[in-house]
Amino acid sequence: MISNAEMIRIRRQMQRRIRDVVAERRRTRHLEPAAAAATTPPGADQEVCVTDNGPG
């Protein structure tokens, strides 16, 4: 059987890991728009519309 102290230690370790993962995801999410803007050439995100002028 797991002692009370060991259960507390495991719980704290799990909470620390969860906090680290959440912080990493928050950093990644925060940096994504800046990274996307830096790698996308100007005007590349504009939508292009093509009209159909009929046959020929």
Side-chain angles (χ1 to χ4, degrees), residues 12-39:
R12 285 181 180 161
Q13 184 179 20
M14 289 173 59
Q15 289 172 342
R16 192 177 312 118
R17 287 180 180 174
I18 291 169
R19 190 173 53 240
D20 290 346
V21 168
V22 169
E24 179 65 28
R25 289 183 180 176
R26 188 175 293 133
R27 277 193 298 272
T28 303
R29 201 168 46 241
H30 179 69
L31 294 175
E32 275 179 3
T39 59

Side-chain angles (χ1 to χ4, degrees), residues 37-49:
T39 59
T40 305
D45 59 346
Q46 295 178 354
E47 185 176 331
V48 177
C49 296

